[in-house]
């Protein structure tokens, strides 16, 4: 019986959470709009960048306290890590360079949007296929 319980624990996934889904979609829209502005001077958008960083911190704190939520939490942590090449890393690069090239922004934005789309898909479905896609992306970072 204990072997069965332990094996079931590894398969558990957090239930659908409307707040997590809603915040993920809000962050996606906010990030998409802000990243389009990365071709302009950082100083003109600094307050919006700080708000997005704060929103990332908030979703991480929220996700930390949900049971069976390791995969969503891990993805948000990667997105918010300034040393990674996703959202927070891109924002840090923009801050350091003050302005980014359109080609770089377009390519980087596509990667960020793909990652956030995977979170949204997982939050909506909570199925094995979306979990596997998210896990694959996490494993590349």
């Amino acid at each position: 019986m204990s072997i069965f319980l332990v094996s079931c624990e590894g398969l558990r996934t957090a239930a659908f959470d409307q707040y997590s889904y809603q915040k993920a979609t809000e962050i996606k829209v906010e990030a998409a709009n802000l990243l389009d502005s990365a071709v302009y001077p950082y100083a003109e958008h600094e307050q919006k960048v700080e708000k997005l960083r704060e929103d990332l911190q908030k979703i991480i704190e929220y996700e930390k306290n949900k049971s069976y939520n390791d995969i969503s939490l891990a993805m948000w942590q990667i997105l918010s890590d300034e040393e990674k090449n996703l959202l927070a890393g891109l924002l840090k690069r923009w801050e350091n360079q003050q302005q980014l090239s359109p080609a770089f922004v377009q390519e980087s934005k596509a990667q960020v949007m793909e990652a956030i789309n995977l979170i949204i898909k997982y939050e909506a479905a909570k199925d094995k296929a979306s979990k596997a896609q998210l896990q694959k992306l996490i494993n590349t970072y």
Side-chain angles (χ1 to χ4, degrees):
M1 182 69 151
S2 64
I3 293 173
F4 175 74
L5 290 175
V6 169
S7 66
C8 288
E9 279 297 304
L11 300 175
R12 303 242 11 211
T13 299
F16 174 76
D17 181 334
Q18 180 64 37
Y19 180 80
S20 292
Y21 178 81
Q22 179 181 340
K23 292 312 286 183
T25 58
E26 287 174 11
I27 288 171
K28 177 186 175 186
V29 170
E30 190 177 343
N33 290 333
L34 188 57
L35 293 177
D36 285 339
S37 300
V39 297
Y40 301 108
Y42 176 83
E44 295 174 9
H45 303 279
E46 187 171 5
Q47 289 180 334
K48 290 179 182 177
V49 170
E50 290 309 313
K51 183 188 179 309
L52 182 55
R53 286 176 172 153
E54 185 178 298
D55 288 347
L56 288 170
Q57 290 174 337
K58 288 176 184 177
I59 193 68
I60 287 172
E61 285 305 311
Y62 180 80
E63 297 293 335
K64 277 182 186 178
N65 295 301
K66 288 172 36 182
S67 300
Y68 311 111
N69 195 45
D70 295 344
I71 194 161
S72 293
L73 176 59
M75 194 63 231
W76 283 117
Q77 288 172 327
I78 290 168
L79 278 164
S80 67
D81 187 340
E82 291 186 341
E83 302 305 315
K84 305 283 186 200
N85 291 324
L86 281 176
L87 183 54
L90 182 56
L91 296 174
K92 181 180 177 183
R93 184 179 208 145
W94 182 19
E95 180 179 14
N96 291 340
Q97 294 182 6
Q98 293 301 302
Q99 195 167 339
L100 301 174
S101 74
F104 180 79
V105 170
Q106 183 179 6
E107 180 63 33
S108 299
K109 179 184 172 185
Q111 292 173 5
V112 170
M113 292 299 106
E114 178 185 354
I116 297 174
N117 282 337
L118 288 176
I119 292 174
I120 291 169
K121 184 177 177 183
Y122 177 67
E123 288 298 338
K126 296 291 185 173
D127 63 358
K128 288 181 182 182
S130 60
K131 184 175 184 176
Q133 288 179 316
L134 199 51
Q135 187 65 54
K136 183 179 176 182
L137 183 60
I138 289 169
N139 290 340
T140 63
Y141 287 91

